[in-house]
Structures are given as structure tokens and as C-alpha cells.
Amino acid sequence: METISLQAALRYGWETFKKRPGFFIGVTLIIFAVSWVTGFIIKMLDLDQNVIGSIANLLITTLLDLGVVATMLKVYDNVESAQIGDLWHPQQYLPYLGATVLTAIIVVVGLILLIVPGVIAAMMLLFVKFIVVDRKMGPIDALKESARMTKGHRMSLFLLVLAIAVINIIGAILLLVPLLVTIPVSTLAMVYAYRKIGHAASEVVPASAPAAH
């Protein structure tokens, strides 16, 4: 089975970024701005240590994350067609929220169980969010499909995630400005991995086939 090339994924992310750097930096700035404003308002209302504040933050963060995933999938299909307005993508919000919460619970439980199971679970479920948006699946079916798709690729995906983490940590250390580049490049690299593995997986089980129950 062909594995994902770390170099190819990062190269795709960089080369795509260079095609429309202003767009990708703009998207990242908008995400930063909305996140900051959300955090500021929650703190001003003295909800930052409150369950209500945590829930509000989760709901808004999920909407932002959903918009980024939808936008970057569109970029992969046609980089010139993507627009800032694509960040507003509420159509699959509830399934996306459900998938986000379920994935987090599974990974956290795995991490509690001596860390390694959590890492394995994270790699198994790495594509859940992409699947919800791209294939319009519900949370449970998306979890199953991600586990199927990533089988045989989890080590290469782990190396990609590790490389992405290192790149973004370096960006954060260098006064945050490089994050305007490293974050979109990292996201594009992950979309590349999803599309490539999805294409390979569809040769075994068609993407349009109903998920197994």
C-alpha cells in the first residue's frame, strides 16, 4: 500500500500557498481575529472560568473550524475559486459539532489509557471532520469511514502531524508572524493527505458506497 509522502504533502501546502498568499493570510487573520474577539467577550462577561463560557467558545470555535475545512477542501479542487466568504459554511454544523465532540472524547479517553491508545485513536479519526464536510456523513459514519481510510497509513500520518506541529511551534516562537504562513500550509498539507488517501481508499471501497453498520 502506498503511503503518504511527508515531503509531497508539505510541498503541496507550500506551492498552493504561493499561488494566493494574500488569500491564505487573510483567512488566517480572520480566524485569529474572531477567536480573539470571542475570548475577549467571554472574559469581559466573566465567563472564562464558567461552563457557559466554555460551551460558547466550543460552539464558535467549531463554526470557525468548519469554515476552514470547507474552504480548504474547495481550494484543493480549485484554488482560484475559493473566496473569503466560503468561511461561512453553517450547513453541516450539527454533524460537525457532534463529530468534533465524539472525536475529542475518544482521543482523551485513549490518552488517559497510557497515552499510546490516544495517539492511535487520533490517527484513526484524523479525517473525521473532512469526511463530514466532504461527504456529508453523520458523526458515527464519519468515524467509521476515517478508521477505514487511515488503515495502513497511520504511521505516515503520525509523522505528518508531528512535522506540522514542529513547524507551527517554530512559527509561534518566532513572534507569531510566521504562523500566518505555517498554519495555512499545514492545513493544506492535511487536505492533500485526505484527498490522496481518500482516492486510494475509494479504489478498494467506492467513496459513494454506504458505510458499514
Side-chain angles (χ1 to χ4, degrees), residues 77-103:
D77 295 334
N78 185 347
V79 66
E80 298 299 332
S81 69
Q83 303 296 327
I84 293 293
D86 293 324
L87 287 170
W88 178 247
H89 189 88
Q91 295 89 333
Q92 293 144 296
Y93 182 77
L94 290 179
Y96 196 89
L97 177 62
T100 298
V101 172
L102 284 175
T103 300

mmCIF file of all heavy atoms in Angstrom, residues 77-103:
data_model
loop_
_atom_site.group_PDB
_atom_site.id
_atom_site.type_symbol
_atom_site.label_atom_id
_atom_site.label_comp_id
_atom_site.label_asym_id
_atom_site.label_seq_id
_atom_site.Cartn_x
_atom_site.Cartn_y
_atom_site.Cartn_z
ATOM 1 N N ASP A 77 -9.779 21.591 -4.748
ATOM 2 C CA ASP A 77 -10.465 21.341 -6.013
ATOM 3 C C ASP A 77 -10.176 22.427 -7.044
ATOM 4 O O ASP A 77 -10.038 22.144 -8.230
ATOM 5 C CB ASP A 77 -11.979 21.240 -5.776
ATOM 6 C CG ASP A 77 -12.347 20.043 -4.915
ATOM 7 O OD1 ASP A 77 -11.582 19.057 -4.912
ATOM 8 O OD2 ASP A 77 -13.379 20.095 -4.225
ATOM 9 N N ASN A 78 -10.079 23.664 -6.582
ATOM 10 C CA ASN A 78 -9.792 24.784 -7.489
ATOM 11 C C ASN A 78 -9.346 25.983 -6.660
ATOM 12 O O ASN A 78 -10.181 26.691 -6.100
ATOM 13 C CB ASN A 78 -11.024 25.143 -8.327
ATOM 14 C CG ASN A 78 -10.732 26.225 -9.357
ATOM 15 O OD1 ASN A 78 -9.697 26.885 -9.325
ATOM 16 N ND2 ASN A 78 -11.662 26.416 -10.290
ATOM 17 N N VAL A 79 -8.043 26.184 -6.593
ATOM 18 C CA VAL A 79 -7.501 27.214 -5.708
ATOM 19 C C VAL A 79 -7.999 28.606 -6.057
ATOM 20 O O VAL A 79 -8.170 29.467 -5.183
ATOM 21 C CB VAL A 79 -5.955 27.177 -5.710
ATOM 22 C CG1 VAL A 79 -5.395 27.551 -7.072
ATOM 23 C CG2 VAL A 79 -5.386 28.085 -4.625
ATOM 24 N N GLU A 80 -8.282 28.860 -7.323
ATOM 25 C CA GLU A 80 -8.711 30.194 -7.739
ATOM 26 C C GLU A 80 -10.174 30.477 -7.406
ATOM 27 O O GLU A 80 -10.590 31.631 -7.362
ATOM 28 C CB GLU A 80 -8.490 30.367 -9.253
ATOM 29 C CG GLU A 80 -7.028 30.268 -9.680
ATOM 30 C CD GLU A 80 -6.154 31.334 -9.039
ATOM 31 O OE1 GLU A 80 -6.691 32.415 -8.719
ATOM 32 O OE2 GLU A 80 -4.953 31.094 -8.845
ATOM 33 N N SER A 81 -10.945 29.424 -7.172
ATOM 34 C CA SER A 81 -12.383 29.621 -6.941
ATOM 35 C C SER A 81 -12.716 29.943 -5.486
ATOM 36 O O SER A 81 -13.800 30.434 -5.190
ATOM 37 C CB SER A 81 -13.166 28.372 -7.361
ATOM 38 O OG SER A 81 -12.901 27.293 -6.473
ATOM 39 N N ALA A 82 -11.797 29.658 -4.575
ATOM 40 C CA ALA A 82 -12.074 29.867 -3.152
ATOM 41 C C ALA A 82 -12.139 31.356 -2.820
ATOM 42 O O ALA A 82 -11.361 32.156 -3.349
ATOM 43 C CB ALA A 82 -10.999 29.186 -2.308
ATOM 44 N N GLN A 83 -13.078 31.716 -1.946
ATOM 45 C CA GLN A 83 -13.263 33.097 -1.534
ATOM 46 C C GLN A 83 -13.356 33.177 -0.009
ATOM 47 O O GLN A 83 -13.655 32.183 0.656
ATOM 48 C CB GLN A 83 -14.546 33.672 -2.159
ATOM 49 C CG GLN A 83 -14.604 33.598 -3.676
ATOM 50 C CD GLN A 83 -13.529 34.427 -4.351
ATOM 51 O OE1 GLN A 83 -13.131 35.477 -3.834
ATOM 52 N NE2 GLN A 83 -13.059 33.982 -5.505
ATOM 53 N N ILE A 84 -13.114 34.367 0.527
ATOM 54 C CA ILE A 84 -13.215 34.565 1.972
ATOM 55 C C ILE A 84 -14.600 34.170 2.477
ATOM 56 O O ILE A 84 -14.754 33.597 3.563
ATOM 57 C CB ILE A 84 -12.924 36.037 2.340
ATOM 58 C CG1 ILE A 84 -11.459 36.387 2.053
ATOM 59 C CG2 ILE A 84 -13.266 36.305 3.805
ATOM 60 C CD1 ILE A 84 -10.463 35.684 2.924
ATOM 61 N N GLY A 85 -15.615 34.436 1.675
ATOM 62 C CA GLY A 85 -16.985 34.114 2.067
ATOM 63 C C GLY A 85 -17.226 32.637 2.285
ATOM 64 O O GLY A 85 -18.207 32.252 2.939
ATOM 65 N N ASP A 86 -16.350 31.789 1.760
ATOM 66 C CA ASP A 86 -16.500 30.344 1.945
ATOM 67 C C ASP A 86 -16.307 29.933 3.401
ATOM 68 O O ASP A 86 -16.667 28.817 3.784
ATOM 69 C CB ASP A 86 -15.505 29.589 1.060
ATOM 70 C CG ASP A 86 -15.807 29.755 -0.425
ATOM 71 O OD1 ASP A 86 -16.996 29.804 -0.776
ATOM 72 O OD2 ASP A 86 -14.856 29.851 -1.223
ATOM 73 N N LEU A 87 -15.716 30.831 4.197
ATOM 74 C CA LEU A 87 -15.552 30.532 5.620
ATOM 75 C C LEU A 87 -16.902 30.414 6.325
ATOM 76 O O LEU A 87 -17.002 29.766 7.367
ATOM 77 C CB LEU A 87 -14.712 31.619 6.296
ATOM 78 C CG LEU A 87 -13.215 31.618 5.983
ATOM 79 C CD1 LEU A 87 -12.552 32.874 6.523
ATOM 80 C CD2 LEU A 87 -12.552 30.372 6.569
ATOM 81 N N TRP A 88 -17.923 31.055 5.763
ATOM 82 C CA TRP A 88 -19.269 30.932 6.325
ATOM 83 C C TRP A 88 -19.912 29.687 5.732
ATOM 84 O O TRP A 88 -20.400 29.682 4.617
ATOM 85 C CB TRP A 88 -20.095 32.177 6.032
ATOM 86 C CG TRP A 88 -21.505 32.076 6.540
ATOM 87 C CD1 TRP A 88 -22.642 32.007 5.792
ATOM 88 C CD2 TRP A 88 -21.928 32.015 7.914
ATOM 89 N NE1 TRP A 88 -23.747 31.915 6.606
ATOM 90 C CE2 TRP A 88 -23.345 31.918 7.917
ATOM 91 C CE3 TRP A 88 -21.249 32.034 9.144
ATOM 92 C CZ2 TRP A 88 -24.087 31.839 9.091
ATOM 93 C CZ3 TRP A 88 -21.999 31.956 10.316
ATOM 94 C CH2 TRP A 88 -23.395 31.860 10.276
ATOM 95 N N HIS A 89 -19.887 28.598 6.485
ATOM 96 C CA HIS A 89 -20.370 27.313 5.975
ATOM 97 C C HIS A 89 -21.124 26.585 7.098
ATOM 98 O O HIS A 89 -20.639 25.590 7.647
ATOM 99 C CB HIS A 89 -19.175 26.476 5.508
ATOM 100 C CG HIS A 89 -19.577 25.229 4.778
ATOM 101 N ND1 HIS A 89 -19.802 25.190 3.419
ATOM 102 C CD2 HIS A 89 -19.792 23.972 5.221
ATOM 103 C CE1 HIS A 89 -20.128 23.967 3.066
ATOM 104 N NE2 HIS A 89 -20.141 23.209 4.139
ATOM 105 N N PRO A 90 -22.298 27.098 7.460
ATOM 106 C CA PRO A 90 -23.025 26.515 8.600
ATOM 107 C C PRO A 90 -23.865 25.289 8.265
ATOM 108 O O PRO A 90 -24.460 24.693 9.162
ATOM 109 C CB PRO A 90 -23.931 27.672 9.030
ATOM 110 C CG PRO A 90 -24.247 28.379 7.735
ATOM 111 C CD PRO A 90 -22.988 28.281 6.900
ATOM 112 N N GLN A 91 -23.901 24.894 6.985
ATOM 113 C CA GLN A 91 -24.847 23.860 6.562
ATOM 114 C C GLN A 91 -24.704 22.552 7.336
ATOM 115 O O GLN A 91 -25.693 21.886 7.616
ATOM 116 C CB GLN A 91 -24.685 23.578 5.063
ATOM 117 C CG GLN A 91 -25.043 24.738 4.163
ATOM 118 C CD GLN A 91 -23.856 25.654 3.885
ATOM 119 O OE1 GLN A 91 -22.939 25.758 4.688
ATOM 120 N NE2 GLN A 91 -23.882 26.323 2.735
ATOM 121 N N GLN A 92 -23.483 22.154 7.656
ATOM 122 C CA GLN A 92 -23.273 20.865 8.335
ATOM 123 C C GLN A 92 -22.812 21.061 9.772
ATOM 124 O O GLN A 92 -22.072 20.238 10.317
ATOM 125 C CB GLN A 92 -22.264 20.035 7.536
ATOM 126 C CG GLN A 92 -22.800 19.596 6.186
ATOM 127 C CD GLN A 92 -21.705 19.591 5.126
ATOM 128 O OE1 GLN A 92 -21.130 20.596 4.769
ATOM 129 N NE2 GLN A 92 -21.413 18.416 4.634
ATOM 130 N N TYR A 93 -23.270 22.132 10.368
ATOM 131 C CA TYR A 93 -22.765 22.500 11.686
ATOM 132 C C TYR A 93 -23.031 21.425 12.746
ATOM 133 O O TYR A 93 -22.121 21.031 13.485
ATOM 134 C CB TYR A 93 -23.373 23.834 12.147
ATOM 135 C CG TYR A 93 -22.849 24.280 13.488
ATOM 136 C CD1 TYR A 93 -21.588 24.836 13.614
ATOM 137 C CD2 TYR A 93 -23.627 24.116 14.643
ATOM 138 C CE1 TYR A 93 -21.097 25.233 14.849
ATOM 139 C CE2 TYR A 93 -23.148 24.511 15.873
ATOM 140 C CZ TYR A 93 -21.888 25.068 15.966
ATOM 141 O OH TYR A 93 -21.405 25.451 17.189
ATOM 142 N N LEU A 94 -24.259 20.951 12.841
ATOM 143 C CA LEU A 94 -24.592 19.993 13.897
ATOM 144 C C LEU A 94 -23.835 18.670 13.742
ATOM 145 O O LEU A 94 -23.267 18.170 14.735
ATOM 146 C CB LEU A 94 -26.099 19.760 13.957
ATOM 147 C CG LEU A 94 -26.918 20.954 14.484
ATOM 148 C CD1 LEU A 94 -28.405 20.615 14.487
ATOM 149 C CD2 LEU A 94 -26.465 21.345 15.889
ATOM 150 N N PRO A 95 -23.783 18.069 12.541
ATOM 151 C CA PRO A 95 -22.971 16.854 12.393
ATOM 152 C C PRO A 95 -21.494 17.107 12.701
ATOM 153 O O PRO A 95 -20.822 16.264 13.305
ATOM 154 C CB PRO A 95 -23.163 16.459 10.923
ATOM 155 C CG PRO A 95 -24.426 17.113 10.513
ATOM 156 C CD PRO A 95 -24.525 18.370 11.308
ATOM 157 N N TYR A 96 -21.001 18.278 12.288
ATOM 158 C CA TYR A 96 -19.596 18.619 12.526
ATOM 159 C C TYR A 96 -19.329 18.766 14.020
ATOM 160 O O TYR A 96 -18.307 18.282 14.528
ATOM 161 C CB TYR A 96 -19.261 19.915 11.795
ATOM 162 C CG TYR A 96 -17.783 20.183 11.647
ATOM 163 C CD1 TYR A 96 -17.076 19.702 10.543
ATOM 164 C CD2 TYR A 96 -17.094 20.930 12.603
ATOM 165 C CE1 TYR A 96 -15.728 19.960 10.392
ATOM 166 C CE2 TYR A 96 -15.749 21.181 12.460
ATOM 167 C CZ TYR A 96 -15.074 20.701 11.359
ATOM 168 O OH TYR A 96 -13.724 20.955 11.217
ATOM 169 N N LEU A 97 -20.242 19.421 14.721
ATOM 170 C CA LEU A 97 -20.113 19.579 16.170
ATOM 171 C C LEU A 97 -20.126 18.220 16.852
ATOM 172 O O LEU A 97 -19.297 17.937 17.734
ATOM 173 C CB LEU A 97 -21.250 20.450 16.701
ATOM 174 C CG LEU A 97 -21.302 20.657 18.225
ATOM 175 C CD1 LEU A 97 -20.057 21.364 18.724
ATOM 176 C CD2 LEU A 97 -22.560 21.435 18.609
ATOM 177 N N GLY A 98 -21.055 17.362 16.444
ATOM 178 C CA GLY A 98 -21.133 16.027 17.022
ATOM 179 C C GLY A 98 -19.865 15.234 16.778
ATOM 180 O O GLY A 98 -19.346 14.562 17.685
ATOM 181 N N ALA A 99 -19.341 15.316 15.558
ATOM 182 C CA ALA A 99 -18.112 14.599 15.219
ATOM 183 C C ALA A 99 -16.931 15.128 16.018
ATOM 184 O O ALA A 99 -16.070 14.365 16.479
ATOM 185 C CB ALA A 99 -17.841 14.727 13.720
ATOM 186 N N THR A 100 -16.889 16.448 16.204
ATOM 187 C CA THR A 100 -15.806 17.065 16.971
ATOM 188 C C THR A 100 -15.802 16.586 18.413
ATOM 189 O O THR A 100 -14.765 16.214 18.965
ATOM 190 C CB THR A 100 -15.943 18.607 16.941
ATOM 191 O OG1 THR A 100 -15.842 19.071 15.592
ATOM 192 C CG2 THR A 100 -14.856 19.269 17.782
ATOM 193 N N VAL A 101 -16.993 16.582 19.024
ATOM 194 C CA VAL A 101 -17.113 16.175 20.427
ATOM 195 C C VAL A 101 -16.794 14.690 20.596
ATOM 196 O O VAL A 101 -16.036 14.295 21.495
ATOM 197 C CB VAL A 101 -18.534 16.484 20.958
ATOM 198 C CG1 VAL A 101 -18.733 15.893 22.351
ATOM 199 C CG2 VAL A 101 -18.761 17.995 20.987
ATOM 200 N N LEU A 102 -17.332 13.844 19.719
ATOM 201 C CA LEU A 102 -17.080 12.406 19.820
ATOM 202 C C LEU A 102 -15.606 12.082 19.637
ATOM 203 O O LEU A 102 -15.031 11.270 20.370
ATOM 204 C CB LEU A 102 -17.909 11.654 18.773
ATOM 205 C CG LEU A 102 -19.399 11.498 19.062
ATOM 206 C CD1 LEU A 102 -20.099 10.835 17.880
ATOM 207 C CD2 LEU A 102 -19.615 10.675 20.326
ATOM 208 N N THR A 103 -14.979 12.727 18.654
ATOM 209 C CA THR A 103 -13.552 12.500 18.413
ATOM 210 C C THR A 103 -12.730 12.902 19.627
ATOM 211 O O THR A 103 -11.824 12.170 20.052
ATOM 212 C CB THR A 103 -13.081 13.300 17.186
ATOM 213 O OG1 THR A 103 -13.820 12.876 16.029
ATOM 214 C CG2 THR A 103 -11.597 13.066 16.928
#
